[in-house]
Amino acid sequence: MKPMVMHPWDLCETDAIKLQQQLASKVIKQDQFDNIIHVAGVDVAYSKHSNTLVAAVVVMDACSLQVIETVVAEDIVQFPYIPGLFSFRELPPIVKAFKNIKTTPDLVVCDGQGIAHPRRFGLASYLGVLFDIPTIGCGKTKLLGKAEEPGVKRGDCAPLLDNTEMIGNVVRTQDHIKPIYVSIGHRISLLTACEWIVKLAPQYRLPETTRYADQLVRKALATYIKSEESGEWKADY
């Protein structure tokens, strides 16, 4: 897969914010897709011992949730830690990984926010606009907004509000289990996004796409070994 939108990533904070604001206008908040046959999960993890980060993409069958393909890509952190601008740290290795997948997903679930973001352009929205693909933001924690606690049953949800604007839903994926934060990424409605997240989480709090992608990046970080002779990173798995 190749991005439909391309731009440099080595931007200053001011230019990065301006670019987010510009691209946020391209987000489509309605369902705009055909059949969902393949669904992908995306996650990124950082090494505690270096400036290396690893991105993983897992593609699953949308019905059986069987893994079809996995890709891992590594990179070096090139953008500072600035809240609201994490996409500029994490998208370069994610784009690398997507360029290497052979099975084009019909829907992508990101471990992060979509429009539930100060500029309505979190990682899921950014990725969706870059590749012009339906995406969902599915965060374990809240970036901004307020919400009441949803009901205790699987599928219960409560609106996530930023002042009076609805930017997502707080969704209970399992009975009596801590909820997660779901928001539109791109080319999908909030209702459909929540339905898919519940469907993709048949047993656990997090959707299988996120769980498996998280396992991949953890394994990759644990097995990337720095060669003393060459100073290069190599995978040992």
Side-chain angles (χ1 to χ4, degrees):
M1 291 180 63
K2 294 183 179 180
M4 306 294 289
V5 176
M6 300 184 69
H7 63 74
W9 294 101
D10 55 340
L11 303 175
C12 67
E13 180 178 355
T14 300
D15 288 342
I17 291 173
K18 288 180 179 178
L19 183 59
Q20 279 187 332
Q21 293 169 333
Q22 174 188 346
L23 294 178
S25 65
K26 299 181 180 296
V27 171
I28 296 171
K29 302 176 185 177
Q30 294 82 36
D31 294 336
Q32 193 180 93
F33 53 81
D34 295 320
N35 294 330
I36 303 295
I37 299 173
H38 299 124
V39 59
V42 177
D43 199 8
V44 176
Y46 297 78
S47 171
K48 296 180 180 180
H49 310 291
S50 70
N51 60 348
T52 298
L53 71 166
V54 175
V57 178
V58 55
V59 182
M60 296 180 163
D61 180 275
C63 292
S64 67
L65 301 184
Q66 293 297 308
V67 175
I68 296 173
E69 183 181 359
T70 62
V71 174
V72 173
E74 63 168 306
D75 207 344
I76 302 299
V77 176
Q78 300 182 35
F79 195 86
Y81 181 92
I82 303 174
L85 294 175
F86 292 159
S87 296
F88 291 88
R89 292 166 64 88
E90 300 185 352
L91 272 174
I94 291 175
V95 171
K96 271 188 180 181
F98 266 92
K99 286 181 178 179
N100 291 325
I101 64 173
K102 299 177 181 178
T103 308
T104 300
D106 305 296
L107 175 66
V108 180
V109 178
C110 296
D111 181 23
Q113 312 300 329
I115 66 169
H117 179 274
R119 288 171 289 280
R120 306 298 183 257
F121 203 63
L123 178 67
S125 296
Y126 212 141
L127 180 64
V129 169
L130 282 186
F131 286 94
D132 191 25
I133 191 170
T135 55
I136 299 173
C138 181
K140 296 185 283 290
T141 58
K142 178 181 64 177
L143 180 60
L144 83 164
K146 295 182 179 180
E148 300 291 336
E149 187 77 5
V152 299
K153 294 296 185 180
R154 169 177 160 84
D156 286 344
C157 62
L160 177 64
L161 303 174
D162 183 16
N163 294 317
T164 59
E165 182 181 356
M166 188 171 177
I167 57 175
N169 271 333
V170 185
V171 180
R172 190 89 62 185
T173 53
Q174 302 296 327
D175 292 358
H176 301 283
I177 296 297
K178 187 177 179 181
I180 55 179
Y181 298 87
V182 179
S183 59
I184 293 169
H186 182 54
R187 289 178 52 185
I188 196 166
S189 66
L190 182 58
L191 175 62
T192 303
C194 293
E195 290 174 347
W196 268 103
I197 292 301
V198 173
K199 179 179 178 180
L200 294 170
Q203 292 181 291
Y204 301 99
R205 177 189 176 220
L206 298 178
E208 289 300 291
T209 44
T210 299
R211 281 173 22 85
Y212 203 96
D214 177 73
Q215 292 171 15
L216 281 175
V217 292
R218 289 176 183 271
K219 179 181 178 182
L221 281 179
T223 54
Y224 271 103
I225 303 171
K226 190 170 186 181
S227 169
E228 293 182 358
E229 293 78 18
S230 65
E232 297 178 349
W233 288 88
K234 62 180 180 179
D236 187 29
Y237 72 100

